[in-house]
Amino acid sequence: MGLIEGRGKNYGVEHLLSSESGFLDELLEKRLHLSPERVHFLRDFGSVYVNHKRCLENVQIQRNTYLRVHQNPRRFPTELFQWPEQKVFENESFLILDKPSGLPVPATVDNLKENLSQLLSQTLLHTVHVTHRLDVATSGLIIFAKNKKNQSEINQKLAKSEIRKLYRALVHGENPPLGELIHFMEPSPRAPKTVCKNPQSGWAECRLRILRQKKFSPNFSEIEIELITGRTHQIRAQLAAAGFPIVGDRLYGSALQLAPYEKIGLQAFDLAFDFESENFTFQLAESPWQNPSFPCL
């Protein structure tokens, strides 16, 4: 059928350019030597793109159409989602969830199904809307809006720093310094993120404040953090650069692995904001590492 291909090596990503017309499924079956069942699974899973847009239907493809197929989509343990045990609060405008480590908040580039937004929407039988994100490996408090209007209102508050977000972290090392940490992050979509102390042209400023610290056990400390700016992996990268990597965060220097899925010693434990003339404060009383089931250090 004459498809020109390129391969995203190590990730199972196929880049294809069709030199003939036909239905999407049939073209992929023929060129990638996949069964009809496998092609249907990948398409339904959100792992197939047509002209850079995710495609969920077996559409008619024209000649010179660009296709991208993620043959090995990254999977996530959906059994970690436990409703209603993880619900902290719900009203007609938004809900607060205690996110477990190991699950993404929105869909990922190759997986439309296994994320908190999708799981919540399926459970509640209506669409919930993402307002902010926590890393896959991070646990704790997160806000989902019930409609687009509420999502926009919460997003505006986040952009104006009108929502207090506090984190607690379990880190390697003792006596982390209190006060503000300032770094600058390289503008790259890849992880791990690179940060440095000196300003660089085009690099984003990262600021957080360590409010409290205490010894957890020999060679480990627990700290409380106020996030001032909100960059991807910011807390993880800044603490590692300061010499206090988060326990379990192997991407940023920890030698420990806490679970068979992604899990690190970082929890969003405090949220506070005003919404429609009412003040809301939410807190998680205990950190996960105080639980007897948390891996021994």
Side-chain angles (χ1 to χ4, degrees), residues 17-161:
L17 185 64
S18 174
S19 60
E20 63 179 346
S21 300
F23 281 98
L24 175 62
D25 285 9
E26 295 175 359
L27 296 179
L28 295 183
E29 290 167 25
K30 184 176 180 180
R31 184 59 189 90
L32 300 179
H33 308 292
L34 298 175
S35 68
E37 293 76 17
R38 183 61 180 173
V39 169
H40 180 270
F41 166 80
L42 291 174
R43 177 169 51 75
D44 184 63
F45 210 61
S47 305
V48 176
Y49 287 73
V50 175
N51 287 332
H52 304 285
K53 294 183 179 180
R54 200 190 303 262
C55 183
L56 302 177
E57 304 294 333
N58 184 22
V59 296
Q60 180 80 28
I61 298 298
Q62 302 301 319
R63 185 175 179 272
N64 292 326
T65 298
Y66 168 70
L67 310 174
R68 187 176 84 237
V69 183
H70 297 258
Q71 290 201 86
N72 302 311
R74 183 180 174 192
R75 305 299 303 272
F76 300 96
T78 56
E79 67 274 11
L80 297 174
F81 172 66
Q82 300 290 326
W83 183 268
E85 291 82 0
Q86 291 162 345
K87 181 176 73 172
V88 175
F89 176 83
E90 182 179 11
N91 63 16
E92 68 280 358
S93 301
F94 62 86
L95 65 86
I96 307 294
L97 186 77
D98 182 5
K99 174 193 176 298
S101 298
L103 285 173
V105 174
T108 61
V109 67
D110 56 0
N111 185 332
L112 186 64
K113 302 286 188 178
E114 296 169 339
N115 61 80
L116 284 176
S117 178
Q118 179 75 6
L119 294 169
L120 267 174
S121 296
Q122 290 176 345
T123 300
L124 299 176
L125 302 179
H126 66 78
T127 300
V128 298
H129 302 273
V130 175
T131 64
H132 62 116
R133 304 183 185 191
L134 295 175
D135 292 342
V136 171
T138 303
S139 66
L141 298 173
I142 190 164
I143 311 168
F144 287 92
K146 290 291 190 69
N147 55 54
K148 287 285 189 180
K149 176 178 177 292
N150 296 147
Q151 180 190 37
S152 176
E153 292 170 344
I154 293 171
N155 285 344
Q156 289 178 29
K157 290 181 177 295
L158 288 163
K160 296 177 181 178
S161 299

Side-chain angles (χ1 to χ4, degrees), residues 137-196:
T138 303
S139 66
L141 298 173
I142 190 164
I143 311 168
F144 287 92
K146 290 291 190 69
N147 55 54
K148 287 285 189 180
K149 176 178 177 292
N150 296 147
Q151 180 190 37
S152 176
E153 292 170 344
I154 293 171
N155 285 344
Q156 289 178 29
K157 290 181 177 295
L158 288 163
K160 296 177 181 178
S161 299
E162 294 177 352
I163 296 181
R164 183 183 72 199
K165 295 186 289 183
L166 302 182
Y167 294 75
R168 55 167 68 103
L170 185 65
V171 300
H172 293 270
E174 297 183 21
N175 300 315
L178 298 180
E180 191 166 270
L181 285 182
I182 301 177
H183 291 88
F184 298 87
M185 181 179 288
E186 181 182 16
S188 169
R190 300 186 180 278
K193 301 296 186 180
T194 299
V195 297
C196 69

